[in-house]
Amino acid sequence: MQPGPHHTWRLPKSGAVAKVWSPGTTTEAALRETRIAQWLLRCGIQAPRPVGTRAFPLVHIARYYLQVTFAEDLGRHPPGPADLAAVLRHLHRLDVPANLGLAKFAPLTALSRRLRDLPAGTLSPDHDRRLRVLMAETRTAWRATSWGSLCVIHGDATPSNCIVTPRGPALIDFEGTAIGPREWDLAAPGWSRDVYGTPAGAYDEFTAVYGQDITAHDDGRTYRDVLTPVFAISAWLYLAEYSRTEPDLRPEADRRLRTLLADPLPPFPWNWRPAARAKAEAAK
């Protein structure tokens, strides 16, 4: 089982994966992931093929109706930087489909909603005020950025959402897939290098295959002043939300908040610890 907002279960005897969507997920949202996978397959990009006699069963468990989708298990072979770059380059070159119901990418809207949903007391009044100022500045910078032509983006283009298969690299998990700037997907590998310490050679390999280095675009201003704050707020929120039930994550969440509230944001590297490493170090 893989935890997260939704839960993914491997079903070894069937060669399938069951995705149990979090309560409150709409039928349309879960169906959209199946449609995106089918569209990618038609376009020559590997993705989990929906399996079962029903593409989208609705399962009733006790008092809850849970959305559950079933798809082909593509295995556990992680990609190299070149694999991720190649599949993203293919994705970004596709014509935007008209029939998938893809929304326009609006990360700050989602972040604002998550901030409002934080329990009272998560932030001190001063921290809350400073974070709101950062959000407002970032929103202004995002709207003022000239992104060029929009395309279909994955929305969470990390190695954990790419799997190497005998048929080529595959993309999985399409909750964040939308119509947006390709720069968002391209920033994820640079962010991993600058914030979590992924070897610089991995990012160099990624950019060589994709053909663009977003961290150098516009002298780095787009990456540094627009994309980085959005990634950073989201990464802090992730730990702030989970530290309510995983107290070992609280020190790392606090560390991330201190970085966020520095004015200006500190230079790279930030040396943040991924959640799994933060928990392992806390347990020592």
Side-chain angles (χ1 to χ4, degrees):
M1 192 266 284
Q2 179 179 332
H6 315 289
H7 294 275
T8 303
W9 299 79
R10 278 194 153 86
L11 308 174
K13 292 184 179 179
S14 67
V17 170
K19 185 169 186 174
V20 182
W21 296 75
S22 62
T25 301
T26 65
T27 299
E28 178 57 31
L31 263 176
R32 185 164 51 246
E33 175 155 296
T34 295
R35 294 194 192 111
I36 291 170
Q38 292 169 326
W39 172 70
L40 290 174
L41 288 163
R42 291 195 298 269
C43 293
I45 295 178
Q46 298 307 312
R49 298 176 185 274
V51 299
T53 56
R54 298 169 64 186
F56 184 77
L58 181 67
V59 178
H60 180 226
I61 302 176
R63 294 182 297 121
Y64 301 99
Y65 283 95
L66 298 179
Q67 317 287 353
V68 183
T69 50
F70 297 89
E72 172 189 13
D73 187 348
L74 296 177
R76 308 183 188 214
H77 301 291
D83 299 307
L84 181 59
V87 74
L88 288 178
R89 184 176 60 183
H90 190 167
L91 173 67
H92 295 162
R93 290 177 174 177
L94 297 176
D95 292 334
V96 175
N99 59 349
L100 290 184
L102 296 179
K104 186 175 180 180
F105 189 59
L108 288 161
T109 300
L111 287 181
S112 295
R113 183 175 60 251
R114 289 168 63 191
L115 283 170
R116 288 196 302 269
D117 291 343
L118 286 175
T122 300
L123 291 167
S124 70
D126 180 59
H127 287 173
D128 181 70
R129 179 189 61 79
R130 291 161 64 188
L131 192 57
R132 289 179 186 277
V133 169
L134 176 62
M135 285 284 291
E137 293 173 345
T138 304
R139 185 177 289 106
T140 298
W142 182 282
R143 290 172 176 168
T145 300
S146 177
W147 296 109
S149 60
L150 303 182
C151 63
V152 177
I153 61 171
H154 182 276
D156 189 14
T158 64
S160 61
N161 286 328
C162 182
I163 298 171
V164 175
T165 77
R167 302 188 295 268
L171 291 173
I172 62 172
D173 288 342
F174 306 114
E175 296 104 271
T177 299
I179 300 170
R182 68 195 71 226
E183 289 86 352
W184 177 263
D185 280 350
L186 299 184
W191 166 263
S192 181
R193 175 198 65 185
D194 295 333
V195 173
Y196 297 114
T198 300
Y203 183 69
D204 294 340
E205 184 180 345
F206 176 89
T207 58
V209 172
Y210 189 92
Q212 181 178 347
D213 178 4
I214 183 56
T215 68
H217 176 70
D218 191 26
D219 293 328
R221 284 188 287 268
T222 301
Y223 174 72
R224 176 72 186 184
D225 299 336
V226 184
L227 297 168
T228 288
V230 184
F231 272 90
I233 295 168
S234 180
W236 165 72
L237 260 174
Y238 173 82
L239 285 199
E241 291 162 344
Y242 276 94
S243 64
R244 287 147 50 188
T245 55
E246 300 278 353
D248 287 347
L249 295 177
R250 171 55 61 184
E252 180 63 20
D254 292 343
R255 168 194 176 96
R256 294 184 183 188
L257 184 61
R258 287 193 298 271
T259 304
L260 269 180
L261 298 182
D263 187 15
L265 288 173
F268 297 129
W270 287 359
N271 299 314
W272 285 7
R273 292 183 290 268
R277 197 171 103 204
K279 286 186 66 175
E281 291 178 2
K284 290 181 180 178

